[in-house]
Amino acid sequence: MVSLFKEKKNIDVLICGAGPVGVFLANELADFEINFRIIEKVEKNPEFSKALLVSPRTLEILDNRGLLHPFLEYGVKIKQFSIIQNVHDPSNPIKIELSSMNSNFSFGLMNRQNKTVDYLIDALHEKKSMRKKHVPNVEFCMELIKYEEKDDHVIAVVKNTKSNVEEEIICQYLVGCDGVHSTVRKGINGWTFEGQTLKSSWALADVEIDHELVKYDQATSFVLNEGPIAAIPLDARKNTYRLVVKIGDENKNETNDHVTHGLTNKNHITLEELQKLIDERIAPIKLELKNPVWISNFKINERIVNRYRTGRVFIAGDAAHCHSPLGGQGMNLGIQDAHNLAFKLALVIRDQAADVNKLLDSYEHERYPVGKNVIEGTGFATKMVTGNDYITSFLRTRIAPILFHFFPQTVFKFQNNLLQNNLNYLPESSEILHKYKPRSGAENQLIEAGHYVQDGLLMKITSHKVHERITMFDVFRSTALKHTLILFTLNKGVTSDCNPLIETLLEIYNDYKNTITPIIISYQGVVQTADIPFMPFQEEGREQHIFVECKFELHEKYGVTKEFGQQAFVLIRPDLYIASAVFEDDVDKLKSFLDQYLVKADR
C-alpha cells in the first residue's frame, strides 16, 4: 500500500528515540522553550531493561534540573561493593565503600531503565500542564524512514507504523538518540561505528535471591577464574536482584550483527541451566534462584562512532557508543551527552551564540574523548574480572587485595574515574573553554576551565538578622538555564563604593542579560545588614544573588585564596562545567572570551 503524505511541519529540533537519553534531552529543550518533537518507533517502552545504575554525576544533573525526586523515592541505594574471591572463606570479602565518593550523592542508585523513562516522561507531562511553551507528547509508533540535510534545515521523513502514513518534518537540527542500530547514524555515508564484540558470553536474570551474602544495600560479586557472578539489588522488599553471569567464551570474535546496547543477543539460557552453572561455580555456597522476571543472554560490544556531529545532525547515547556494562555507565554517559548538547542547541536556536560552528563542534570535541575513555576503562575492568590467564589471575587474586588494603587512594581514584565522578573537559580540546593563563606564578590555584563545579555552604543575605543557609548547588538550581557568573570578593565587600569590581560585574551582566546570571560570594565578616540598600540588583529584587560564607572554604575550592589576595570571576555553563575563570587583573581577558562566545543582549 502506498503511504499517504501529511503536510510538512516546521520545528527547531527533531529527537529520534525516546529512551532515557532522548526523553532527558526532551526535558532539557522543554526547559529552554525550544520547539521540538520526539518520536519513537515502538508502541511503548519495554518493561525490561539492561540499564540500572544512575551514577552520582547523573543524580547531580537530575537534581539541578528538578527531576530527582522519583529516583530517590523509588530507587534502591547501594552503599558498597562486596567482592568475594574465595568461596570457601566468603566471610572476608573485599569491600569498596561508596560513601567517600566525590559527590553529594555518595551511593549507587539502582533504577530500572524503563522506570527512568517513565519518570522523565512524567516530567514532560508536568511541564506541559504548567503551560510551558512547545512541550509535546512523546510520539510512539513513529519511525524515521530517511532524512536529507540542506543548507539551513533538515528534511526528515517519518512514518506512523500503525496507519502507515508518512510525514515530512522540516527541522533545524536532528538528534539521534535511537540506540546502537541508529537510523540517524546509518542515514549518512561515512558515519562509522567501529569496534569489536568480545568473545565472552553472558547472561542477565532478574530473580529473587535470599542469602546472607547477598544484601539489599550492596552489590555482591563473586570474582572467580571460571567467571564472575554479580548480584545487584532491584527491590529490597521482594529480595529481587539483577544477576549478571559470565557463562562462557567463544573462539572468535563476532561480527557487528545483533547488537543491543553493547550486548549481542543469543538463545536464552533457562533458569535451570543458570542455577546449575552457579551451583557448580560457587559451591559450597548455595544461591537459590526463584521467580524469574526476565532472563536474557548477551555478548559485550565495544564500539564508538568516528564523529558525533555531521552538519545539522547529531547522535547521542548508544547511537554513539556502546561498551561493557561493568561500572554501569551506558545510560549515564548518554544522559550526560544530552546535557552537554542541549544548552548549545538552545544558544544557537535563540541566536545567542557568537560562533555557531565553534559551539556545535564543541559537543563532539568534549564528549568523544569521554566516550572513548569509558570504553577503555570498562574494557580494562572487564578484562581484570573475567581473564583467566596466569597474569590476569595473579593481578586479580594477589595484587588487587594488596591495593585495596594498603593503597585505598588508588582504588578510590579508579572508582571515581570509572563512575565519571572526576570528569573534566580539557580546554585544549574545546574551542568554547577559556584558555586562560594567569600572570601570577606558582601561588596561583584558580580552578581551570573545563572543571566541574564545586559545592559548599553559603548564607543568603536578607534584611533579617537570621540569614538562610543554602548550598552552592541550590544556587545553581535557580540559575540552571543560563550561565552563572560568580564574583568571589574575598573580604573586599559587595557594594560599589568599597569594591570597584561590583561595577565591572554589573557591566558584564548588562551586556549579557539574556545569557548570564550574576552571583556575588563574599565573606560574612565584611557584609553588614546596613549594606543591603546599597547592594546591586535591588531594583530587580535580586538581593538573593548575593551570598556570604563563614569561612573561606568555597573560595578556596575555586582557588581564590587569602594568601594570593586577588578576587576572581568564574563563569559556569548551564551543564555545570567551568567556561572561564580569571583573576581581577585579567577581567579584560574574560570580556574578550565572552565576546567570542556569547552574543550581547543589545545585538
Side-chain angles (χ1 to χ4, degrees):
M1 182 177 72
V2 178
S3 299
L4 301 175
F5 266 93
K6 293 174 69 175
E7 61 181 293
K8 298 177 181 178
K9 294 186 177 180
N10 290 18
I11 55 173
D12 293 322
V13 179
L14 175 62
I15 303 171
C16 182
V21 180
V23 185
F24 176 79
L25 178 60
N27 273 274
E28 289 282 272
L29 297 182
D31 285 339
F32 286 113
E33 297 188 343
I34 300 301
N35 187 8
F36 72 95
R37 288 173 66 178
I38 175 170
I39 63 172
E40 171 56 59
K41 67 180 179 180
V42 301
E43 186 172 359
K44 63 177 183 177
N45 278 302
E47 295 182 9
F48 312 116
S49 60
K50 296 183 175 70
L52 282 182
L53 176 68
V54 186
S55 71
R57 181 63 59 88
T58 300
L59 290 172
E60 290 174 354
I61 292 169
L62 295 171
D63 180 36
N64 181 254
R65 295 304 200 244
L67 300 170
L68 183 62
H69 175 71
F71 291 86
L72 293 185
E73 183 172 358
Y74 300 111
V76 177
K77 297 178 183 178
I78 62 169
K79 301 175 182 178
Q80 65 181 7
F81 292 105
S82 176
I83 302 173
I84 299 170
Q85 297 201 83
N86 184 355
V87 294
H88 298 286
D89 183 19
S91 61
N92 190 29
I94 295 173
K95 299 281 189 179
I96 302 178
E97 299 292 338
L98 302 182
S99 58
S100 58
M101 287 193 299
N102 296 334
S103 173
N104 289 345
F105 302 99
S106 53
F107 52 83
L109 188 79
M110 297 302 163
N111 192 72
R112 295 179 188 271
Q113 179 177 312
N114 57 308
K115 292 297 183 184
T116 295
V117 173
D118 288 345
Y119 302 154
L120 294 174
I121 289 178
D122 288 345
L124 271 182
H125 291 164
E126 184 177 352
K127 290 177 173 68
K128 191 170 186 178
S129 71
M130 295 169 63
R131 301 188 180 279
K132 277 203 169 189
K133 292 181 180 179
H134 313 305
V135 183
N137 292 320
V138 176
E139 300 176 56
F140 290 99
C141 299
M142 292 289 283
E143 181 179 8
L144 177 68
I145 303 301
K146 60 182 180 180
Y147 65 89
E148 182 180 3
E149 184 183 356
K150 302 294 186 179
D151 288 341
D152 60 353
H153 64 275
V154 176
I155 301 175
V157 178
V158 303
K159 182 175 74 173
N160 186 306
T161 57
K162 284 188 172 180
S163 66
N164 209 36
V165 173
E166 292 186 356
E167 174 187 354
E168 271 193 3
I169 300 174
I170 297 176
C171 54
Q172 287 195 56
Y173 298 98
L174 170 64
V175 184
C177 306
D178 48 345
V180 292
H181 295 296
S182 172
T183 303
V184 174
R185 188 187 67 239
K186 294 177 180 178
I188 294 180
N189 290 332
W191 218 335
T192 62
F193 197 39
E194 297 298 327
Q196 63 174 340
T197 301
L198 304 187
K199 298 175 183 179
S200 54
S201 299
W202 297 73
L204 293 178
D206 292 352
V207 295
E208 290 181 18
I209 303 174
D210 187 4
H211 194 283
E212 62 181 5
L213 292 176
V214 180
K215 302 176 182 178
Y216 72 90
D217 61 349
Q218 71 178 30
T220 305
S221 298
F222 298 87
V223 180
L224 310 168
N225 284 340
E226 297 83 355
I229 299 169
I232 304 163
L234 294 177
D235 190 332
R237 294 166 296 180
K238 298 180 180 179
N239 283 332
T240 305
Y241 292 81
R242 164 68 52 82
L243 206 61
V244 184
V245 185
K246 180 186 174 185
I247 58 178
D249 288 302
E250 294 187 7
N251 292 327
K252 57 183 180 180
N253 286 356
E254 298 289 332
T255 65
N256 292 1
D257 298 333
H258 312 300
V259 179
T260 307
H261 179 58
L263 313 177
T264 304
N265 292 327
K266 292 292 184 183
N267 296 328
H268 287 188
I269 190 172
T270 66
L271 180 65
E272 292 74 19
E273 291 170 334
L274 190 58
Q275 182 73 71
K276 181 182 178 183
L277 183 151
I278 292 174
D279 288 345
E280 292 173 351
R281 190 171 296 176
I282 65 172
I285 300 171
K286 176 69 173 179
L287 290 185
E288 185 178 357
L289 313 182
K290 300 178 183 177
N291 301 325
V293 178
W294 178 50
I295 301 178
S296 179
N297 291 36
F298 68 90
K299 291 178 75 68
I300 295 173
N301 285 270
E302 298 176 338
R303 304 184 189 282
I304 191 167
V305 289
N306 57 334
R307 57 182 182 267
Y308 280 44
R309 176 199 179 199
T310 297
R312 293 179 171 270
V313 184
F314 302 82
I315 51 176
D318 293 346
H321 41 69
C322 62
H323 53 83
S324 167
L326 197 150
Q329 286 306 294
M331 180 182 70
N332 298 286
L333 193 60
I335 287 175
Q336 291 170 40
D337 287 344
H339 196 221
N340 182 284
L341 177 61
F343 83 91
K344 297 172 181 178
L345 287 174
L347 286 173
V348 170
I349 291 166
R350 291 170 166 180
D351 295 322
Q352 294 171 339
D355 189 322
V356 169
N357 277 320
K358 182 188 292 186
L359 182 63
L360 295 181
D361 280 344
S362 72
Y363 168 60
E364 176 181 318
H365 295 160
E366 291 175 358
R367 295 305 298 170
Y368 178 86
V370 177
K372 195 168 186 299
N373 287 340
V374 168
I375 290 173
E376 291 173 353
T378 57
F380 172 77
T382 301
K383 181 179 179 181
M384 289 304 299
V385 300
T386 62
N388 53 16
D389 60 279
Y390 175 79
I391 294 177
T392 305
S393 179
F394 179 80
L395 290 173
R396 182 175 61 240
T397 59
R398 303 297 183 186
I399 303 301
I402 295 174
L403 286 175
F404 278 101
H405 187 74
F406 293 104
F407 302 97
Q409 284 303 314
T410 301
V411 177
F412 173 76
K413 183 177 180 180
F414 177 77
Q415 168 190 314
N416 276 289
N417 288 340
L418 187 63
L419 293 176
Q420 301 296 294
N421 293 335
N422 290 339
L423 173 62
N424 298 311
Y425 298 130
L426 299 175
E428 57 267 26
S429 67
S430 175
E431 290 297 315
I432 65 163
L433 295 175
H434 192 184
K435 299 167 183 60
Y436 168 67
K437 297 293 183 185
R439 307 172 196 177
S440 52
E443 65 271 27
N444 162 47
Q445 301 173 21
L446 188 63
I447 194 168
E448 294 182 4
H451 280 225
Y452 191 68
V453 293
Q454 298 292 311
D455 198 13
L457 286 175
L458 293 168
M459 288 192 298
K460 183 191 297 183
I461 293 295
T462 69
S463 56
H464 308 291
K465 290 186 177 180
V466 178
H467 301 316
E468 180 184 346
R469 288 185 178 273
I470 61 172
T471 68
M472 192 74 248
F473 276 20
D474 292 329
V475 176
F476 292 142
R477 204 177 297 114
S478 70
T479 66
L481 301 182
K482 291 185 177 182
H483 291 68
T484 306
L485 181 60
I486 304 174
L487 172 59
F488 287 96
T489 71
L490 290 168
N491 55 1
K492 308 292 176 60
V494 297
T495 58
S496 299
D497 59 339
C498 63
N499 188 348
L501 285 188
I502 300 298
E503 287 299 327
T504 304
L505 178 67
L506 287 171
E507 176 191 337
I508 295 173
Y509 167 54
N510 287 324
D511 281 343
Y512 298 96
K513 277 189 175 183
N514 297 334
T515 50
I516 285 178
T517 298
I519 297 292
I520 298 172
I521 298 178
S522 191
Y523 180 55
Q524 182 182 18
V526 298
V527 179
Q528 306 298 326
T529 303
D531 292 332
I532 290 179
F534 306 99
M535 292 179 183
F537 318 126
Q538 291 298 304
E539 72 281 2
E540 301 179 26
R542 296 182 60 181
E543 68 274 8
Q544 69 271 24
H545 285 189
I546 303 174
F547 306 92
V548 296
E549 54 177 343
C550 300
K551 301 178 181 179
F552 278 106
E553 291 178 355
L554 198 58
H555 276 73
E556 290 179 355
K557 283 184 178 180
Y558 283 83
V560 187
T561 63
K562 289 186 290 184
E563 292 75 17
F564 190 58
Q566 282 209 33
Q567 301 176 79
F569 290 92
V570 178
L571 181 68
I572 295 163
R573 310 187 320 189
D575 66 346
L576 302 180
Y577 287 86
I578 310 297
S580 174
V582 302
F583 285 118
E584 60 181 272
D585 58 3
D586 286 324
V587 68
D588 288 342
K589 293 182 179 180
L590 172 63
K591 292 178 180 179
S592 176
F593 169 76
L594 283 169
D595 197 45
Q596 299 173 53
Y597 178 36
L598 300 173
V599 171
K600 290 184 177 180
D602 59 357
R603 289 185 193 172

